[in-house]
Amino acid sequence: MTKRTVALLGGTAMWLVGAAANAQELNALVWCDHTDDALIKPFEEEFGVTVNVREYEGTGAALALLEQSRPGDWDVLVIDGIDVFRAVESGLLAPLPDDQLPTADFFPEIVMAENNTLDGVTYAVTEKFGYNTISYNSEKVDPADMQDLSTVWSDKYAERISIYDYYLPVMGLAAIAEGVATADIDAKSLDTIGPVLSQMRSSAASVAGVVAAQTALATGEVDIVVGGGEWLTAVLAEEQPELTWTIPDQGAVRWTQSIGVLADSEQPDLALEFVKYIVSPEGQARLATSACFWGMPANSAAGEILNDDQKSVLRWDDQTDYLARTQLYPAPDADLDVEMQDLWLDTLSQ
Amino acid sequence: MSAGTGTKLGWGFVAPALLWTLAFFIVPFLVMGAMSFATLEGRSLVWGFYLDNYIELATRAYLWRAILVSLEITLTVTVVSVVLAYPLAAIIAFRVPPQWQRLALLLAILPFWTSYVVRSYAWLLVLAREGLINQTLINIGLIAEPITLANTRFATVTGFVHFFVMLLTLTIYANLVQLSPNYRRAATDLGANAFQTFRHVILPLTLPGIATGAFLTFVLCIGDYVTPQVLGGNNELTMPQVIMVQLGRRADFPLASALAIVMMAIVMLAYLASARWLRLDRV
């Protein structure tokens, strides 16, 4: 073998090793707001890695996907705040080091240790929150009417409302309208919630997912979205400032999403760095204004990075009031979940 | 070549198709069948022979309504699509010069080239209260106020028909162009007028094309989730929508599988009903 051949082989081997090192990839199972390049690229550039993100809808779908995957396929999971315990019970999440998470800077109500921690061990950290409340077109409806939930779905606005197609927040709103706290929803209180849902349904022109609800509001097909919020109208604020949202006098439902490292991750250190990036002020500002949907960052330090216009759209200065007047999503156990879903499907098919 | 060698060669040619069918139909179907008899205890999947899901199917009113709505929509779409596609296919086959027929077919299938989801949302914009149809009707003075077209069964059927007319045009056209012109000449010689020729000669001979297209329409329509979800505004629940709800949050694969088995049984019945005319080799 000539020296030239040896050098060529050696060079090729070094290139292959280098390429393998550069090809380090992080796989994250996420909601659509994490697919924005403006959020992901800075992390990829800083760590010289590729982040592969896959969107999912519904915790059940995510857990099923994880169960069907090989150990190590996924590194990071974004999950509904009320469902963290399901992932922990299934042994899917790894402990997170508390001392490396900036939760001291978080809005206190959003730390949610009772959701993200089990037996003193932290498995996830809240990264974003917002409200399922009432979105509306301020030029088409009387804003004062939007302060009373029962007026929103009264005959006055029949055929002018769309209902967000997710049973937990909408049933939460129905419960709040009847004075039932979302945390107190049980099988018996479904008797109270059922008639409210029926009234809502009879007034609604449609029951729509995120894109369909946005389209319906933006095109004037409906004037109100029950279950909407900043996540629905913020991306439309620039072009259609008349599309807005409010927290009614009775209150509204608060949604949160958490992020964690999967227990089977083969690169837990890199996954942890990603989590730390997402909850850092810079990552939080980018996540809050993601192209898919906007929402409040859990970390209040992001307020130093967001500009005034962005904070205005997010209603930054009203958060203290909003947090005090809203309640977390209903978090039913498995049996109650079945009953709630059956009631929801029954109502939809009316 | 001996008979044994010929047999082996035959199996060799057939084996890939058999393996494909085994891997991507038989095995998944068996898994789904087994899953439909499993159950959820809390949130944990328990394998076994439980009839819970089928009992739920029999006792839940909204599930029956979903089956009924799915069948009504599917049958409406199939009938309307056949009625619209047949004249279109006949015009292309008999009236368009042969050198232009390929272009005409290309234009007919153009809607296939766009994303299914985008096409559904496009229809939503057309049918909206401030959409093209309502604005046109208002401008020409036919109506004073917008009428509700979007988020209705009419919208769902319209979205489906737009898609399936193209599919049926292809299957019926393929059948029509195979017919020898001598059939029509013979009918005319025997004194049949144009309608009688169509009724007693052309239509019976094109039934395989109609049946094949209608069957494909039925199968694709009854299993579709996107169109009823986007255009129907969830005002009527269909079977695929109910299945999706079971999977989204609760991951209730056993009940979703039982629902899917029922849907397959309905498709099987549709196949048996149309099997007499189904001639896939003719299209």
Side-chain angles (χ1 to χ4, degrees), chain A residues 3-129:
Chain A
K3 285 183 179 174
R4 181 181 289 183
T5 308
V6 171
L8 192 65
L9 286 173
T12 305
M14 285 179 69
W15 178 80
L16 285 172
V17 169
N22 287 334
Q24 191 176 9
E25 295 184 0
L26 192 75
N27 297 317
L29 200 51
V30 299
W31 289 6
C32 70
D33 52 345
H34 291 67
T35 60
D36 192 344
D37 275 351
L39 172 69
I40 299 299
K41 284 283 178 205
F43 179 82
E44 290 181 326
E45 285 166 7
E46 184 180 346
F47 287 86
V49 298
T50 301
V51 179
N52 301 314
V53 287
R54 169 149 178 198
E55 284 179 54
Y56 73 88
E57 281 186 30
T59 302
L63 297 184
L65 186 66
L66 287 169
E67 282 168 13
Q68 289 160 17
S69 302
R70 289 172 306 177
D73 275 356
W74 299 98
D75 303 297
V76 171
L77 174 68
V78 170
I79 188 168
D80 199 324
I82 61 163
D83 286 330
V84 171
F85 80 96
R86 288 174 66 181
V88 175
E89 278 178 356
S90 304
L92 291 170
L93 292 176
L96 292 176
D98 285 318
D99 57 343
Q100 294 185 44
L101 302 173
T103 47
D105 293 332
F106 280 24
F107 292 93
E109 298 86 342
I110 301 304
V111 175
M112 292 170 49
E114 66 281 11
N115 287 66
N116 295 320
T117 305
L118 184 69
D119 297 333
V121 179
T122 300
Y123 289 93
V125 58
T126 314
E127 54 165 25
K128 193 171 178 178
F129 71 99

Side-chain angles (χ1 to χ4, degrees), chain B residues 125-197:
Chain B
L125 296 177
V126 170
L127 298 171
R129 290 176 69 80
E130 296 179 8
L132 183 69
I133 292 178
N134 266 314
Q135 291 310 309
T136 304
L137 293 175
I138 289 172
N139 287 339
I140 61 177
L142 274 181
I143 56 173
E145 290 291 321
I147 51 176
T148 302
L149 298 172
N151 302 316
T152 61
R153 183 181 289 195
F154 169 78
T156 303
V157 170
T158 302
F160 272 136
V161 166
H162 178 216
F163 183 77
F164 289 119
V165 161
M166 305 306 135
L167 180 74
L168 273 153
T169 301
L170 287 181
T171 62
I172 296 170
Y173 167 84
N175 207 166
L176 284 170
V177 292
Q178 289 179 40
L179 295 183
S180 166
N182 291 335
Y183 287 120
R184 280 182 287 157
R185 291 186 194 126
T188 307
D189 285 349
L190 292 170
N193 60 29
F195 178 74
Q196 288 170 324
T197 303

Side-chain angles (χ1 to χ4, degrees), chain B residues 95-113:
Chain B
R95 298 290 179 211
V96 176
Q99 67 270 27
W100 293 105
Q101 286 186 7
R102 188 167 292 185
L103 178 64
L105 281 176
L106 191 70
L107 293 173
I109 62 169
L110 266 183
F112 281 122
W113 294 9

Side-chain angles (χ1 to χ4, degrees), chain B residues 253-275:
Chain B
F253 283 90
L255 182 55
S257 297
L259 289 163
I261 292 286
V262 170
M263 273 183 63
M264 285 201 66
I266 292 170
V267 169
M268 186 62 73
L269 287 174
Y271 173 80
L272 292 173
S274 57

Side-chain angles (χ1 to χ4, degrees), chain A residues 58-61 64 83 86 165-168 201 205-207 211-212 219 221 332 334 337-338 341-342 345-346 349, chain B residues 42-43 56 60 62 65 121 124-125 128-130 150-151 229 233-235 237 242 245-251 253:
Chain A
T59 302
D83 286 330
R86 288 174 66 181
D165 184 18
Y166 190 24
Y167 62 102
L168 289 181
R201 184 75 187 87
S206 64
V207 180
V211 179
T219 59
E221 191 65 22
D337 206 351
V338 172
Q341 190 168 290
D342 280 343
L345 289 172
D346 241 343
S349 63
Chain B
R43 299 192 194 275
E56 184 124 337
R60 294 285 177 197
Y62 66 79
R65 278 199 290 272
Y121 277 107
L124 195 60
L125 296 177
R129 290 176 69 80
E130 296 179 8
N151 302 316
Q229 185 74 13
N234 255 347
N235 282 321
L237 283 181
V242 174
V245 172
Q246 307 306 325
L247 298 178
R249 177 175 160 73
R250 284 175 46 218
F253 283 90

